[in-house]
Structures are given as structure tokens and as C-alpha cells.
Amino acid sequence: MAGADGDDSLYPIAVLIDELRNEDVQNDTETQLYSLKMYSIIHIFYNTIYDEDEVLLALAEQLGNFTMLVGGPEYVHCLLPPLESLATVEETVVRDKAVESLRKISQEHSPVDLEVHFEPLVKRLASGDWFTSRTSACGLFSVCYPRVSSTVKAEIRQHFRTLCSDDTPMVRRAAASKLGEFAKVLEPEYVKSDIISLFTALASDEQDSVRLLAVEACVSIATLLPQEDLETLVMPTLRQAAEDKSWRVRYMVADKFSELQKAVGSEITKNDLVPAFQNLLKDCEAEVRAAAANKVKEFCENLPEDNREQIIMTHILPCVKELVSDTNQHVKSALASVIMGLSTILGKDNTIEHLLPLFLAQLKDECPEVRLNIISNLDCVNEVIGIRQLSQSLLPAIVELAEDAKWRVRLAIIEYMPLLAGQLGVEFFDEKLNTLCMAWLIDHVYAIREAATCNLMKLVEKFGAEWAQNTIVPKVLGMANDPNYLHRMTTLFCINALSEACGQEITTKQMLPVVLKMSNDQVANVRFNVAKSLQKIGPVLDSNALQTEVKPVLEKLATDSDMDVKYFAQEAITLQS
Amino acid sequence: MSSAPTTSPSVDKVDGFSRKSVRKAKQKRSQSSSQFRSQGKPIELTPLNVGFLEWDRKTAQPELFLKKLQQCCTVFDFMDTLSDLKMKEYKRSTLNELVDYVTVSRGYLTEQAYPEVVKMVSQNIFRTLPPSDSNEFDPEEDEPTLEASWPHLQLVYEFFIRFLESQEFQPSIAKKYIDQKFVLQLLELFDSEDPRERDYLKTVLHRIYGKFLGLRAFIRKQINNIFLRFVYETEHFNGVAELLEILGSIINGFALPLKAEHKQFLVKVLIPLHTVRSLSLFHAQLAYCIVQFLEKDPTLTEPVIRGLLKFWPKTCSQKEVMYLGELEEILDVIEPTQFVKIQEPLFKQISRCVSSPHFQVAERALYYWNNEYIMSLIEENSSVILPIMFSSLYRISKEHWNPAIVALVYNVLKAFMEMNSTLFDELTATYKSDRQREKKKEKEREELWKKLEDLELKRGLRSDGIIPT
């Protein structure tokens, strides 16, 4: 039995090797590798030199899950050679995957194996000739550091230090991006003695792409140090970064501002970060202002509570006011997406006095995205001052967005309709917004018509079947006689969406007759959509109507001259029987 | 129509698809460079109301030159079109004077002038480039954003080039100031969106490369880094074409035998550059560099062609056409001994291109047969190439949708027939059975995979203890 089994399994291996060497890589590499995995014959594909990056990528990924297949943690080190060579290839995604897998299997090494097999590999990579291997090495230090002896630790720190001052910027970038992670696994004394100097050096690198990565590391480093050391060890560098001559670095500071704020604590925030934040909000580059504007709410939220209001009112709000009339629309729209959140922090009175004018100004902004962002965050204000304060300005803004020339803008406002309807109430809706909702049904973009049907369904769910019967259904059914077949189809789509929410009675008495009548439409697309609709609304109808009314029509459609009509009619018949 | 419409709406000729949106005409944009914290107070320069000519030639001119250089270090904000108008005009005319001065004057270049020139140039041209206006800037479609401060910047570049080209210019003194850091900043400027600036930069870098032997290796290495970053990290850098253009003439001057460093540059940097999405923007310059390399050292042909085949753009017809163009350029200079080494994989690819459903790709590949030199190579090796090409050609002669392609294919088949009629007849005769054999093999492969999956399944069940061992 065992012998037969052996033969049985050797054969496919031979096939596999053959397949792997096949030039034609159309085969699904996943399957190939998965099967391979089952046979765990590591040396075979180690020797199979493949240069197709897609294959290498899959290989690099799968090898990370191989531990059990090579015989468990005891043998896991035999996965290292193939991963090592994958960690040196040019293609970044392959290399990154190989590093990811190496990091994964490093955890499965025993401390001894880690020193005997893994750490030498890291060293080899770190001193490789070509930048790719050195880049990969940067990601491996932190995973082996905690579990090796102190002499090896010293070596690892030395290697990391060397890579931080590598002469290729690619390697320095890799090192800078892992600096924070590495700092976390280091003993506190080495954070101070090693990491800080590396951090300072990287943060003043000649390339801005390196400097900006140091900002990211700053967050982790600041969390590791005791409060009293921050001022001398981290703050000089951070201050310098916030005023860097490259906007990319300043952008990064703005982008990481909340994290930085949490890392340095409230005292430094008050003294240093508040003015820095003001500067970023007033930066000369729109990119930086936008990134900072995005953080306004979070920054304010995290200010120390004792004098939060005072800081916001005297330092932040004046900048915010200026941003409302910024020249760049991205800045305004970034601000619009968070500004409403300030109302919960500042409370009712301040909101009415200081924020409301800003909201109203943004609601009238020339850029649709700004208005949209305000409208989409109405719920925050609703909680604090109620939406009524805004409704006067809201309506013109909504109407204008509803007719915006860009369909994506129209789509976005449709999506907020159910929410708005809920907050404004049925009366306001009927009076002001209903016509808009109906107009979208005949929009010239399909996505809008589709969203409009879906919107109607949500409205019916909110306002009930009776409301639907009085306000929506007649208009929808009226479109069944429209000369434009696209509009006639919209009727069908609406019926599909509404039948369930409207219930059996409305569906049978009002909708069904219209659908049945449309089965004589001269456009085939309408006819096969009738078949589809009948299938869709079938579950809502009673069996009598199904038998006496629906079935004959479907049978007639099943003999239609058009192929598609026939197909969908037949499908509906089989599903209903 | 069986179910004639009776009740449905009368005339159904309404076009359901009306289009309202019309693309707005694009506006030319301009932007200032990211001069951080430069705005604010108005700038005052005290005009030196004397032109160079009015000054006594020997003594005072160099001193005036320095003064004017110092004044030109002041940088103005050009986004604010109304501020400092007078001073902007003053600086412009001063720069003009400086340009004229370095062109005509003799004996002006004192040793003290060098640091001042470099300082003035650095102050003006070195700046952080502003963010690109549109996130997805497409250099082929979008108008480039022009540098607002160009009226001054152009003159500074003009001045600097005249300075570098001046007969009195002494690299041995200048190298103290035009150093690695200077070059590095200069290279970063190649990312400028303004094509006028990149053009000047190209000349500047070329002059520096020519005059400062000590910087050459450094410049090449930094260009290397820029390209690697471009290929593997950002896919964004505006000055690739310009840098390649400079490299084209640098490669031309390489001494033989080529250093390992240069070969590595070819294989590890230039070849991967083909993978970038925006290849069309610099492909001509890239192909030129590659051909330059091959003319220097023909033994590099094999790694180059293998590299191109490795990165072959299987899913981008536009790029495929470019690759085919480049391959033809390579084949134009290929040595017959090198051709033999690479012909098999090469023609397998060409055979795939010839049968591409995209007619431009097929057409481009078929044009090879109009190239006399390539034809002669094919003829010499017809016993190898003909079997590779035959089945594709035969098949598309029957089923390609585009009549122009079919016509081209007939010509190619005819050429093959004339070249080697016995082999051609043999291939025609065995075409059918060959196809069947291929199909059978394909089927066998599928079955093998199925078997493998079954086995896998059984294993799984066994390890779950469902099937006893």
C-alpha cells in the first residue's frame, strides 16, 4: 500500500516539475503552487529558475506558509535559501512579499536556529552589493532582534546604523521607514544612544523622500521616550520638519499630526504643536493646507480639555475661517469634510455664533464637492443645534447639486437623500425635494437613474406604503407611456425596487397591469425587462394573479421573435413554477 | 416582428442616449515654485545705475559684476503678478546685462567671482518643485504647468550656460563650488514640469559632465538612482527623456572594453525602464541608448533581447508596437553570430505578435519582412525560423479580421516559400497533424492537473481521517 502510494505521488511531482518549467505560464500559478505545497519538495522549485515576476510573487507568498509542510519549525530554516534569493530581485512587489514571508517564518525559528540560520542571512542581505538586498535587510532587523544574544544584538544595531547612511537613497528610505519599528524592539538605553542620532541624521537627509519618512518614525520614537527627554531629543527635529523647505515633508507632518500630537503629550502640544499647526494651516502649498485641514477636527478633539475651547477659539478658529475662502478647492473640501465635527466640541452657543456662518458660506461655495461634504456631515450639526437652522440655505444648495453637470456629484447627493428626508421630515420633503427625486428618474446617465430608483425604495421604507401610493407610484407609472424607451424601462426598474416595500395590494392592483401592458412594447429591451420584472415581483403577488395574469403573458413572451426576450421569459417561467 | 406593437407609444425614434456634458477647453496653467515663506514684505533693491560699459574696464568692472550678482540673488514671487513690478523689471535687465557681460567681456572671472556666480545661480534655480496640479498628471494629454518665474529663471540659466562655456572658465577653480551637492540639486530639478526648464537643464548638466571629470561617476550614479526610483518606487519623474538624451551621448564616449558598472547600468536600469507605464514619453531616447550600447559591445545583444522579452508588454498593444520598433532598431545593428544565439526566443515572440488580434501590433511585426537586413538574417536561418513562424502565419492567413494584415501575411508566406520551398511544403503538409498533436498534448495536461487535484483531495480526506490509510 505504502509503495503504491509512493509511486502514486511521485508521478505528479514529475509532472509538476515539467509544468513549472513550461514556457507557457498561462496556467494558474496559484494552483500550481498550491499543489506544490502539498508535496513540500522545496529543493525542486529552488532549482527551478523562473524569471516571470508574477510567478516569483506567488512563490514568495506561498513559501511563508510552508513551515508545516517542510516538517515543522525544526526544519523551517530550509525555506531560507529560496526566500533569500527572492529578497534580492529587482521587482519591488516580489521583494516585499519575500520579506513579509521571511518575517513570518522568523517567528517559527527557535532562538538557536535564529542565530545559526536566520541572522547570517540578514547579515548577508545587509551587506549585499546591489541595493535590492540591502533594502530587504532593513525589514528583517526588528523581527530577529528581540530573540538573539546580546553580542548578535550589537551586530544587528551596527548593520542597521550602516544602512541608515547607505549611499543609495533607496536603502536610506527603506531604513527610514523601518526606523520606528526597529526602535520599538530596542532596549530603552539604545533608543537614546542609537536611534536618536539615526533619526536626526535621516530627518536632515539631503533627499526629501528620506526626510519625510523620518517624520513617520518620529511618532513611534516619541512614544518610546519618557516625557522629559522629548524636548531635547525629538522636538528640535520635529520643529525643523514642520518648517522643512520641501512641501512633501511638511505635508507628512500635517498628515501625521494627530499621531504626533498623541505621542508628544498635551504639554508640548500646547506650547509647540498649536503654533506649528497654525503654520501648516497657513502653508503656502495647497497640498499641505489640505492635509492640515483634514486634521482640524481630530486635533481639536485631542487637545487637553482644560483649555481646549480657549485654544480653539483663539488659535485654530481664525485659521479655519481663512480656509473657508481658500483659493484651492481641495483645501476647502478637506475642511468641509471635518468642519461640522467642531460643533460637538464647541457646543451649541459657539456653533451658532461662530461655526454656522462658516457652514452657510461653504454651502454656497462654488465647488460642488465642498457643498457635498457639508451636506454629507449634517448629522453632526443636527445633534447640536438641529437642522432647521440650516434648512433655508440647505435647499438651494441641494437643488444646485441635484442639477450639477457632473453626474458623480448628482449621484453623491442622491445617496444622501434618504438621510436628509429623515432629518427634514415628510412635509418639507414633499414640498421641496420630491420633484428632484422624480427628475433624477429621467436623468440621461444610467447610474443616476439606477440610484434614483434605489433612493425611491429607501424613501418608501421610511415614509410608508400609503405615502408611496399617493406621491410616487402615479408618477412612476405615468412614465410607462413615455416616448423614450429608456424612461419606460425606468418604470420597470422602479417597480422592481418598490414592489416589496409597497406590498401586495399596490403591486397587484396598480403596478402589475402596467407591467403586463408593456409586454407589447415595440422595443425588445423593454419586453425582456418586462419578463425580468414579472420574475422579480412574482413573490409579492398572490398565486391567483400569477396563474391568471402573469403566466399567459410570460408564455406569450416565450414565443417572442427576439432571442433575449425569449430567454428571460423562459427563465421567469421555470423559476415561478 | 411577431408581436406587432399596437398599444405602445407611437414613434419610437427618440434617442435615449443624449449627451449633455461637453469637455471644457483646457486652460494653460502656470505655477510658482514652492518658495517656502518667501511671500510678505515688498522687496527693495537699490538700483546700481550704471551699466558695465560705462565703467572703467580694468579696475572696477569685476567689482560691479559681483555687486550685480549679489543683487540677483533676490528671488521674487511671480504668482503675485502685481507685486514688486519695478524691482522685477530691474532684476530682469540686470540679468540681461550679466548675460551680455559674460559673453563678451574678457578678464572678468576673478577667483572671487566663482562662489558668487554659483551662489546666485543656486539661489534662483534650486527650489522645491511644487506639487503637480492634477494627481494623475498625464504628460501625453495634459498641458504642462509652466513655471511662473520663467522671465527671470530663463536668464539665470542662460547666464549660467554662458558662464560654463566661457573661455575663461576654469573647472579647477569651479569644482570647489560646483560639487556633488550642487549636482544633486540640479538633478532633482529635472522633475520640473516645464519643458523649457528641462531643456536648459539638459545643456547645463551636459556642460558640467563635460568639464568636471571628477563628477562624472557621481552624476551617472545619481541618474541611476533617479531611474531606479522612477521604475520601482514612484513611476513619476518628468525629466527621464532629457536624462536619457544626455546618457545617449555619454554612452557614445565610453571606452572599450566596457566597465562592469556600465553593463550593470544597461541590464539593471535601462532594460527595466521599459516596464514603466509612461514609456512612450522617453522611448525614442531609451532605444537610442540601448542601440548605442550594442554598437559598442555586440556581446550585450543577448542579455538585452532576453530582457526585452522578459518584460514584453503582453497586455498593452501600444507598448508592444514600441517594443517591436526598438527590436527592429536592434536587429538593424545585430551581428549574425549574435542573431543565431537569440533567434529562437525572439521569433517565438514575433510569431505571437504577428498573430495579435490588434492589427497595429501584427502590422508592425510584419513590417520586419520589408527590412532587407532582417530578411537576409531570416533567410540564412530559415530552417529554424520558418517552423516557429509557420503555424501563426498559416492560421492568420485564414482567420485574421483585418484584410490588410492578411495581405501582408500572404507576402510573408510567399517570401518563405521562395526561401525554402522544401521545408515550406513539409510544414504545410504536416500542419494539420501538428495541430492535432498540440491539442492532444493540451488535453493530456489538463487531465494531469485533474489527477493531481484528485490526489490532493484524497490526501486531504486522508489527513482528516476520512479515508483510512
Side-chain angles (χ1 to χ4, degrees), chain B residues 64 79 144 256 295 327 360 372 389 392 395:
Chain B
L64 183 60
M79 280 319 265
L256 287 172
E295 289 201 285
L327 270 184
Q360 282 173 335
E372 271 178 41
M389 295 295 300
S392 295
R395 194 163 44 78

Side-chain angles (χ1 to χ4, degrees), chain A residues 11-12 19 22 27 34 39 51 90 92 130 167 169 173 206 245 247 285 287 483 486 488 522-523, chain B residues 5 12 16 34 36 128-129 131 184 221 225 229 232-233 264 268 310 314 445 448-449 452 455-456:
Chain A
Y11 172 63
E19 286 285 298
N22 196 309
N27 251 305
Y34 185 61
Y39 296 97
D51 61 355
E90 256 82 27
T92 326
W130 191 239
D167 69 340
R173 278 195 286 276
E206 60 201 3
K245 67 180 196 304
W247 62 270
E285 269 328 321
E287 249 76 1
L486 292 173
R488 299 203 294 281
Q522 70 178 32
V523 177
Chain B
D12 213 15
S34 188
F36 185 48
T128 310
L129 294 169
L184 205 59
K221 195 163 162 203
N225 287 341
R229 179 172 182 213
Y232 294 115
E233 293 182 13
Q264 174 168 298
K268 296 221 171 189
K310 177 186 168 185
K314 299 183 184 72
R445 275 181 54 175
L448 276 174
W449 275 104
L452 206 64
L455 215 70
E456 208 173 84

Side-chain angles (χ1 to χ4, degrees), chain B residues 306 336-351 369 374-393 416 419-420 422-424 426-427:
Chain B
R306 283 197 188 276
T337 47
Q338 298 297 326
F339 181 80
V340 176
K341 282 189 202 160
I342 200 72
Q343 55 181 352
E344 258 185 80
L346 176 63
F347 276 85
K348 273 185 188 159
Q349 182 57 53
I350 293 175
S351 148
W369 274 262
I374 298 180
M375 268 304 265
S376 73
L377 290 168
I378 294 177
E379 190 159 7
E380 264 167 56
N381 301 286
S382 64
S383 59
V384 181
I385 294 170
L386 188 47
I388 298 174
M389 295 295 300
F390 185 79
S391 69
S392 295
L393 291 171
F416 272 134
M419 239 177 242
N420 193 339
T422 34
L423 181 58
F424 190 88
E426 219 172 275
L427 288 167

Side-chain angles (χ1 to χ4, degrees), chain A residues 252-443:
Chain A
M252 201 60 165
V253 174
D255 196 48
K256 298 273 164 230
F257 216 82
S258 307
E259 287 94 329
L260 288 168
Q261 181 187 12
K262 279 178 206 152
V264 298
S266 57
E267 220 24 62
I268 295 181
T269 298
K270 254 189 273 179
N271 300 333
D272 268 286
L273 293 195
V274 172
F277 194 59
Q278 284 175 292
N279 282 336
L280 291 170
L281 289 172
K282 287 188 249 173
D283 197 277
C284 61
E285 269 328 321
E287 249 76 1
V288 181
R289 291 199 301 278
N294 253 323
K295 302 286 164 191
V296 164
K297 182 194 158 205
E298 230 177 310
F299 181 74
C300 294
E301 243 170 14
N302 296 330
L303 285 170
E305 264 182 61
D306 46 340
N307 47 4
R308 179 162 73 184
E309 193 174 318
Q310 182 255 329
I311 294 176
I312 299 176
M313 296 306 289
T314 51
H315 299 290
I316 308 296
L317 205 59
C319 302
V320 169
K321 275 183 188 155
E322 270 177 53
L323 289 183
V324 166
S325 48
D326 198 277
T327 48
N328 184 291
Q329 65 172 50
H330 298 294
V331 176
K332 288 187 290 187
S333 99
L335 181 69
S337 65
V338 297
I339 190 174
M340 311 289 269
L342 289 180
S343 51
T344 29
I345 306 172
L346 288 177
K348 190 171 174 182
D349 295 339
N350 279 327
T351 302
I352 294 178
E353 194 185 335
H354 298 285
L355 293 177
L356 198 57
L358 303 181
F359 300 158
L360 294 176
Q362 292 215 301
L363 267 179
K364 292 189 193 102
D365 197 276
E366 55 181 9
C367 162
E369 212 175 307
V370 176
R371 285 175 263 147
L372 206 58
N373 281 345
I374 290 289
I375 291 176
S376 60
N377 287 301
L378 279 176
D379 44 339
C380 320
V381 192
N382 198 22
E383 285 161 24
V384 183
I385 58 168
I387 208 165
R388 285 283 165 185
Q389 296 265 13
L390 281 172
S391 58
Q392 280 305 319
S393 317
L394 210 48
L395 193 66
I398 294 174
V399 172
E400 215 176 301
L401 287 170
E403 288 160 358
D404 195 276
K406 293 199 184 75
W407 68 267
R408 281 175 206 282
V409 174
R410 300 201 294 277
L411 184 65
I413 189 75
I414 294 177
E415 274 159 13
Y416 291 113
M417 263 308 147
L419 184 82
L420 284 172
Q423 287 176 351
L424 293 166
V426 82
E427 263 169 58
F428 187 89
F429 183 86
D430 279 346
E431 202 178 310
K432 317 271 187 189
L433 300 177
N434 196 12
T435 34
L436 286 180
C437 291
M438 299 316 287
W440 282 319
L441 288 175
I442 52 171
D443 197 281

Side-chain angles (χ1 to χ4, degrees), chain A residues 159-206:
Chain A
H159 277 294
F160 192 79
R161 213 174 299 140
T162 317
L163 293 183
C164 282
S165 53
D166 197 277
D167 69 340
T168 66
M170 286 78 81
V171 178
R172 291 204 303 278
R173 278 195 286 276
S177 68
K178 300 292 176 199
L179 183 65
E181 179 189 289
F182 190 56
K184 281 185 190 157
V185 298
L186 244 56
E187 295 79 357
E189 70 259 37
Y190 293 120
V191 174
K192 269 198 212 176
S193 65
D194 282 33
I195 296 290
I196 293 299
S197 65
L198 295 176
F199 167 63
T200 319
L202 290 169
S204 46
D205 195 276
E206 60 201 3

